[in-house]
Amino acid sequence: MRALPYDALATIYDCWIQGDPARKACHDFYVRWATSQAGGVVEIGVGTGEIAIRIAHGGCNVVGIDVSEPMLRLCSTKVIREGVAHRVALCRMNAMQLGLCNVERIILPFRTVGHFTEREQRLELFKQIRGSLRPGGLFVFDHYVLDREWAAEIAGKQTLMFESTAEDERLRILDSYEFDFGRGIMDCSVQIESSRHSNKTIREVNFEFAWVEPVEIRRQVLAAGFEVVEVYGNFDRAEFASTSEQQIWVLRRPEQARSRI
Ligand SMILES: C[S@@+](CC[C@H](N)C(=O)[O-])C[C@H]1O[C@@H](n2cnc3c(N)ncnc32)[C@H](O)[C@@H]1O
């Protein structure tokens, strides 16, 4: 499997995502959704555990899986520090080869689906998730709907995502994106500038990310054997519309068909 960017982003991940305007609403949505129903939840792409830990504080058990060991290591430290180790189990696993069965609820939050950049990969991901659920089990994930005007405006420019104010230890994180509209792919570059006293280092992490039109997602989730329960257009659960900035899919693995004999 291709190297993923998160090994190199792990130590700055929690700072980096503070600059994302959708983070809070997105995280709040999953915490509310998971804790408002009985039963545990599996979070695919648990990362450093921002969502999982809040769900655990809300009284639900969580299994967090991730392919990045550095992200899981940080997550584990936070889980212990937050006193929720009795509610959170972590496992290094690739979502393309899920070794799970009979799961009641699976979430794939914060646009993680965009890391599956090829159509065939996404279809396989959806099939893996469907196969891991019990009949009637639910799967929720989100992605944004690309705003082409926004894309044209910010292409090639740097956006400041985080800046620390500490005197002798500074950190600045800047994102920039290039868009390939034909392929539906963004080339993302994260520039990390850190300085300690007079020692300054700059490193860059680059990766591809896919945006996916809602019509394609619908086609693929149906092909993977899901039923669509809801599609929201925002994290406040407004119904999806052609002007929506987000697409939040609530899917169900159908109950088993009744035997004819
Ligand atoms: C955008 S982060 C989301 C982290 C966390 N859910 C949050 O909301 O802050 C995406 C996460 O998905 C993980 N990931 C990417 N591809 C994966 C794969 N094939 N299998 C499992 N995890 C994967 C990354 O390592 C990363 O931790």
Side-chain angles (χ1 to χ4, degrees):
M1 155 175 208
R2 237 179 309 158
L4 277 164
Y6 287 92
D7 289 4
L9 291 171
T11 54
I12 56 110
Y13 181 79
D14 288 350
C15 296
W16 180 45
I17 62 170
Q18 284 180 35
D20 188 315
R23 176 192 59 94
K24 187 174 180 312
C26 173
H27 284 198
D28 289 352
F29 167 84
Y30 284 98
V31 174
R32 257 198 316 271
W33 186 81
T35 55
S36 63
Q37 300 167 45
V41 64
V42 170
E43 181 180 352
I44 298 177
V46 67
T48 56
E50 290 281 297
I51 295 174
I53 289 168
R54 289 181 56 198
I55 292 175
H57 276 307
C60 277
N61 291 339
V62 188
V63 175
I65 74 166
D66 206 288
V67 75
S68 166
E69 207 174 318
M71 293 291 272
L72 283 172
R73 235 181 284 126
L74 287 167
C75 184
S76 171
T77 305
K78 280 165 70 178
V79 162
I80 294 165
R81 196 176 59 218
E82 290 279 332
V84 287
H86 60 299
R87 289 213 177 275
V88 182
L90 298 174
C91 179
R92 183 165 186 226
M93 198 184 273
N94 185 348
M96 297 298 284
Q97 293 165 301
L98 284 180
L100 306 172
C101 66
N102 230 25
V103 177
E104 205 160 314
R105 294 185 297 158
I106 296 181
I107 58 175
L108 178 74
F110 208 24
R111 310 172 201 131
T112 297
V113 70
H115 289 295
F116 299 80
T117 50
E118 306 295 327
R119 252 194 204 117
E120 304 71 37
Q121 267 185 333
R122 284 191 295 274
L123 180 59
E124 182 55 30
L125 170 74
F126 294 143
K127 285 182 179 171
Q128 290 282 324
I129 292 173
R130 182 195 175 278
S132 300
L133 287 167
R134 68 161 174 77
L138 296 173
F139 168 44
V140 183
F141 74 100
D142 63 284
H143 204 340
Y144 52 62
V145 181
L146 187 78
D147 175 346
R148 284 174 187 249
E149 274 179 32
W150 167 84
E153 208 174 285
I154 63 146
K157 296 183 186 143
Q158 282 194 317
T159 306
L160 183 65
M161 300 297 284
F162 179 83
E163 186 166 32
S164 74
T165 47
E167 248 313 275
D168 53 356
E169 203 163 353
R170 303 184 82 89
L171 175 66
R172 261 161 62 86
I173 307 172
L174 301 117
D175 274 12
S176 61
Y177 321 111
E178 295 289 353
F179 298 85
D180 182 336
F181 291 103
R183 288 175 62 223
I185 293 288
M186 288 163 76
D187 277 316
C188 306
S189 167
V190 184
Q191 184 172 307
I192 302 148
E193 302 175 1
S194 25
S195 49
R196 200 153 189 234
H197 307 296
S198 55
N199 255 347
K200 187 169 176 179
T201 57
I202 300 182
R203 65 187 176 99
E204 219 173 86
V205 181
N206 299 297
F207 59 96
E208 287 194 340
F209 189 75
W211 68 89
V212 193
E213 297 297 337
V215 64
E216 186 189 327
I217 291 203
R218 181 176 292 275
R219 202 181 309 123
Q220 288 205 308
V221 297
L222 294 178
F226 279 108
E227 289 172 357
V228 177
V229 180
E230 303 274 4
V231 191
Y232 302 122
N234 215 328
F235 294 109
D236 61 8
R237 300 196 187 196
E239 205 178 315
F240 183 80
S242 57
T243 51
S244 296
E245 293 178 2
Q246 306 289 337
Q247 44 178 330
I248 300 137
W249 294 80
V250 182
L251 307 172
R252 182 189 293 121
R253 174 178 175 160
E255 297 287 350
Q256 262 150 351
R258 281 207 198 107
S259 162
R260 284 167 186 259
I261 44 171

